[in-house]
Amino acid sequence: MLMFLNVIEDKVLRSRLEEAYHLYKKELLYLAHDILKDYHEAEDVVQTAFIKFADYLDEKMDIKCHKTKGLIVIIVRNLSINIYNNRKNRVAVNIDELSEVIYDEGDICPEINILRLDQSQEMAKNLSQINGRYADILTLKYTYEYSNVEIASLLSIQETNVRKRLSRAKKALKKITEEGENV
């Protein structure tokens, strides 16, 4: 399984990828298998995801952080969906949303932590009501702060598609928040 890591010459990067692989491989294989219904394809997707993830891994990134896990999950999910769609010639597949987003707060006072947690819970609730692809795009753009070019590379889509999905996602999110305010 770890043969794909042998092509990476940087020993530090290789060991960090290996650590992440051992930490998350079961969940990622389960996720990919749940979408593809094929264990061998799921293994290929997880390996491809880690190769893509290597481009974004730096020495500051904490491997055990929920953001790191979320990033890898998004990559695996999108690679799996792309393969599934290519195999079945379908346009869209419904996928469960990511679980609640929790932020690392550091040295911020408790009141701000509570407000941010409340806001993140509200945002997670709103994101769960829109299309999964749109939620992924918003998460990558505003939580992980990736550029449109980087998002296009991560999701294996064109940059124009990223911009279009961002536009649609913002409209959908705006509609949901306006409906919530009117209630």
Side-chain angles (χ1 to χ4, degrees), residues 16 21 45 57 61 79 82-83 92 115 137 141 149 170:
R16 297 199 69 211
Y21 181 81
V45 164
L57 182 64
M61 188 179 284
L79 287 172
N82 288 343
I83 289 172
L115 287 173
I137 290 282
K141 182 72 173 180
V149 173
K170 288 176 187 177

Side-chain angles (χ1 to χ4, degrees), residues 34-175:
D34 191 45
I35 295 168
L36 297 170
K37 308 295 188 231
D38 183 336
Y39 181 76
H40 299 292
E41 274 189 330
E43 283 182 333
D44 292 343
V45 164
V46 170
Q47 289 181 11
T48 303
F50 274 95
I51 291 169
K52 281 185 175 268
F53 174 66
D55 294 338
Y56 299 93
L57 182 64
D58 60 17
E59 60 275 351
K60 296 180 282 182
M61 188 179 284
D62 181 15
I63 297 297
K64 296 180 181 178
C65 177
H66 66 278
K67 288 184 176 183
T68 303
K69 180 181 178 181
L71 175 61
I72 298 171
V73 165
I74 289 171
I75 295 170
V76 167
R77 181 185 316 145
N78 280 284
L79 287 172
S80 299
I81 290 171
N82 288 343
I83 289 172
Y84 181 86
N85 287 339
N86 288 337
R87 189 173 42 176
K88 297 293 184 181
N89 294 326
R90 292 186 184 163
V91 175
V93 176
N94 293 329
I95 303 295
D96 292 333
E97 301 299 325
L98 284 177
S99 62
E100 187 176 330
V101 178
I102 301 173
Y103 297 97
D104 294 330
E105 299 301 338
D107 297 331
I108 300 174
C109 68
E111 292 84 9
I112 293 176
N113 282 341
I114 291 170
L115 287 173
R116 285 190 178 167
L117 181 59
D118 188 44
Q119 289 172 339
S120 67
Q121 288 172 341
E122 182 69 23
M123 182 57 72
K125 183 181 126 196
N126 291 342
L127 285 176
S128 71
Q129 296 176 26
I130 65 174
N131 182 309
R133 289 182 176 211
Y134 296 163
D136 288 347
I137 290 282
L138 289 172
T139 302
L140 289 170
K141 182 72 173 180
Y142 298 107
T143 301
Y144 298 112
E145 299 177 353
Y146 284 114
S147 69
N148 292 353
V149 173
E150 292 171 320
I151 293 171
S153 173
L154 282 169
L155 302 181
S156 301
I157 60 176
Q158 295 180 0
E159 186 181 357
T160 55
N161 288 348
V162 171
R163 288 194 302 270
K164 191 64 173 173
R165 286 185 192 178
L166 274 170
S167 172
R168 290 176 181 166
K170 288 176 187 177
K171 286 178 185 176
L173 196 57
K174 182 178 178 182
K175 182 180 177 184

